Amino acid sequence: MKNIFLQIRYNLPLHFILILLNWMPENRISLKFRGLCAKPFIKKCGKNLHLGGGLTLLNPYNLRIGDNVYIAKSTWINSMGGVEIEDEVVISPNVVISSLQHVFKDRSVRFGGSIAKKVKIGSGSWIAANSTIKCGVIVGKGNILASNSSLIKSTPDFMLSGGVPAKVIQEVTDGEAEFFSRKEHVK
């Protein structure tokens, strides 16, 4: 009975609203309007949420979003095990965040079931395009996850991580993160 209530109260209305607003352009006004319309169907949502089009937000009754968060188009978030996105987080297009993971049974994933673990993204972090974050991962505050990365382990605060699987590359400081040393740029 509880599952039916959660579907009617959160999942179905949010899904309908996001589909209904997909036609809107990707500009500040429509991003903010999508956020305002989605807010009542997310468990906890701060102010100034901006949402891109084509989002998939599964199990929003386990999703917590802080203030001034931007989630770009075509992002997929499964909050079954709980997802917490703290203040001032930027999530770029095509990011996948899943608090649920399939497991093997009899050497097959098909009927193996799944495990759920909370995902947390620390305040001020930037998750770049086409990245994935696995269940149970805690992204530290002020982190950058480079494009096309797969984060499978938690990271400390203020770090740049990248790769498949993602590894910590360097500490993040104010200004632009440098991916290579000056010596590597000189030809």
Side-chain angles (χ1 to χ4, degrees):
M1 194 65 167
K2 181 181 178 185
N3 193 24
I4 293 171
F5 168 76
L6 293 173
Q7 292 296 321
I8 293 170
R9 165 65 179 90
Y10 293 100
N11 285 343
L12 293 174
L14 180 59
H15 184 70
F16 179 73
I17 295 243
L18 293 176
I19 286 174
L20 190 65
L21 300 178
N22 263 345
W23 64 271
M24 296 177 78
E26 298 292 308
N27 61 39
R28 290 185 187 266
I29 295 168
S30 59
L31 294 172
K32 189 165 188 159
F33 184 68
R34 273 192 208 102
L36 282 170
C37 292
K39 188 175 180 173
F41 307 106
I42 297 170
K43 182 174 187 173
K44 182 180 179 285
C45 187
K47 62 183 180 192
N48 201 28
L49 173 63
H50 286 71
L51 295 178
L55 295 177
T56 301
L57 300 177
L58 302 172
N59 309 299
Y61 49 85
N62 286 332
L63 177 60
R64 296 174 182 271
I65 300 175
D67 295 336
N68 303 309
V69 170
Y70 169 69
I71 302 174
K73 66 181 185 171
S74 301
T75 293
W76 188 92
I77 300 174
N78 184 344
S79 303
M80 178 61 88
V83 171
E84 181 179 352
I85 302 169
E86 292 185 342
D87 299 342
E88 300 176 15
V89 170
V90 173
I91 299 175
S92 298
N94 305 313
V95 168
V96 173
I97 301 169
S98 184
S99 61
L100 199 64
Q101 173 185 322
H102 296 288
V103 293
F104 279 88
K105 180 180 179 186
D106 299 327
R107 296 183 172 231
S108 173
V109 160
R110 179 68 177 103
F111 298 106
S114 57
I115 56 172
K117 294 181 185 174
K118 182 179 177 180
V119 172
K120 182 178 179 181
I121 301 173
S123 62
S125 292
W126 171 27
I127 310 302
N130 305 308
S131 295
T132 62
I133 299 176
K134 180 184 177 292
C135 72
V137 169
I138 297 172
V139 178
K141 294 179 181 183
N143 269 234
I144 298 173
L145 179 60
S147 294
N148 304 307
S149 295
S150 180
L151 191 60
I152 62 172
K153 293 182 181 175
S154 297
T155 59
D157 294 347
F158 308 107
M159 291 294 166
L160 165 68
S161 301
V164 179
K167 293 182 171 103
V168 172
I169 297 170
Q170 72 181 47
E171 187 174 352
V172 173
T173 57
D174 284 350
E176 185 177 341
E178 294 184 27
F179 291 94
F180 305 101
S181 69
R182 188 180 287 272
K183 187 177 181 182
E184 291 170 322
H185 285 288
V186 178
K187 291 184 177 180

